[in-house]
Amino acid sequence: MISIADLAMNYGKKTLFEKSSVTFNPGKSYGLVGANGSGKSTLLRLIAGEEKPNSGTISVPRDLKLGVLRQDHFQYENIKVIDVVLLGKPALCEALREKEKILESENLDSQSGHRLGQLEEMIADADGYVAEPFAAELLSGLGIGTGFHTGPMSALSGGFKLRVLLAQLLFQQPDVLLLDEPTNHLDIVSIRWLENYLCTQFEGTLIFISHDRNFLNVVASYIIDIDYEELRLYTGNYEQFLEAKTLAETQKRKEIENYERKTAELQAFVDRFRAKATKARQAQSRVKQLDKMDVPEVKRSSRISPDLRFEEFRPSGKTVLTVKDVSKKFGKTEVLKNVSFEIQRGEKVAIIGPNGIGKSTLLKIMAGLDTEIEGEAIPQKGIHIGYLPQEPELDPAKDVRGNVEEGVAEIKAVLDRYNQIN
């Protein structure tokens, strides 16, 4: 059990949380939610002991094994992918290496035999004889094909390297698993696999951050909301949390409204009858009531709801975009072949599929940014297409306003509604 009591954390003038207490029970799954910058990742680092709080205590039993998802995949560039996963259990890897070294030796004696017996016991206790099949299962579940398992990490892209590190963490089978946005680099198939693994095979305590609403609903049995500079525990998944929080905020608003109405009535009576001798005693009684009334605590939520409106330049025709017999190759690799479809006015279309199958390429073709294709993508005449790439090219020398104003003249009004311009 991990226990947090009277926790307070701030950076300069920015307070993340104060006087917050929560307990993480064994075998339960906790989703951390809150606005960007509210302190979710900071809370994970505090639990992992990577940062110290300004005040309060975080009690983690000494024998509890914490598993934290690392991002330092570059240190494994020349190591086989499956061996990187096995490194999740360093003691097992060391025992396997020592066993192999002894068996390769030509001078086996009784001492070597005794040591082999010890190593066999260590390997068995760590499930070492099913380690490689288990590691391979994790890699395949996370979308890394078997053809890459025995190759070097350097052969993988950055996103797939992070999947290997996630597999390494799952291979550790820690008592407590700390995950910060574990689905960021996964496709839909891998996300579903991870959901199933965490729900059916992982037996420890899970504490995770995610902006994936479905993932939170499937995996979390509790939600910890970081808002109003506090940690608040809700039982249930994300949808149940939203219902409970909405109810609590409605009750809070009613409490404030009742307080304001009551104080206004009392103050009006005092102002009206204070000077009248016949009502002076009653007016003084109202003043005492005002002094004794508890003022409801009002804190501003860290969540900001943007007011975004998308207005069309002019109504389009029925068929907005036609893709006809589109094929696309990168060298000898064909990612699209004879793709044809139409998009009608008002439709909302999702493009899904494994990583590398051509989803982003298809979007670029539809936006008119990739014309080196067979076939054609024909937008209706006069329509305006907006395109957001995965990694927008921004000028680091410019501020937020400067970068965005290059493309959208009306952006100041949008950012003002976000309340992000000083």
Side-chain angles (χ1 to χ4, degrees), residues 176-244:
V176 179
L177 192 55
L178 305 178
L179 298 177
D180 192 342
E181 295 288 357
T183 63
N184 268 2
H185 299 280
L186 303 181
D187 55 30
I188 290 177
V189 175
S190 299
I191 291 173
R192 297 292 90 83
W193 178 88
L194 181 61
E195 287 174 354
N196 181 68
Y197 179 86
L198 294 174
C199 291
T200 63
Q201 296 190 52
F202 180 67
E203 298 178 351
T205 302
L206 174 63
I207 306 173
F208 69 99
I209 299 168
S210 180
H211 288 95
D212 185 328
R213 190 175 186 135
N214 186 74
F215 189 80
L216 283 162
N217 280 329
V218 172
V219 177
S221 50
Y222 296 89
I223 296 292
I224 293 179
D225 182 38
I226 304 180
D227 199 7
Y228 303 105
E229 300 177 354
E230 65 181 13
L231 309 178
R232 183 167 295 184
L233 178 68
Y234 293 83
T235 300
N237 63 17
Y238 188 72
E239 294 297 334
Q240 294 167 319
F241 147 72
L242 285 180
E243 292 178 6

Side-chain angles (χ1 to χ4, degrees), residues 31-80:
L32 306 184
V33 301
N36 288 342
S38 61
K40 302 185 295 297
S41 296
T42 298
L43 182 60
L44 284 189
R45 291 194 296 270
L46 289 169
I47 295 172
E50 296 173 358
E51 289 193 39
K52 299 296 182 183
N54 296 117
S55 63
T57 59
I58 301 176
S59 301
V60 180
R62 288 185 179 182
D63 59 346
L64 206 63
K65 185 168 62 176
L66 294 178
V68 182
L69 182 58
R70 307 294 181 184
Q71 307 290 330
D72 51 350
H73 56 73
F74 292 108
Q75 66 173 306
Y76 302 115
E77 287 294 273
N78 299 317
I79 302 177
K80 288 195 300 185

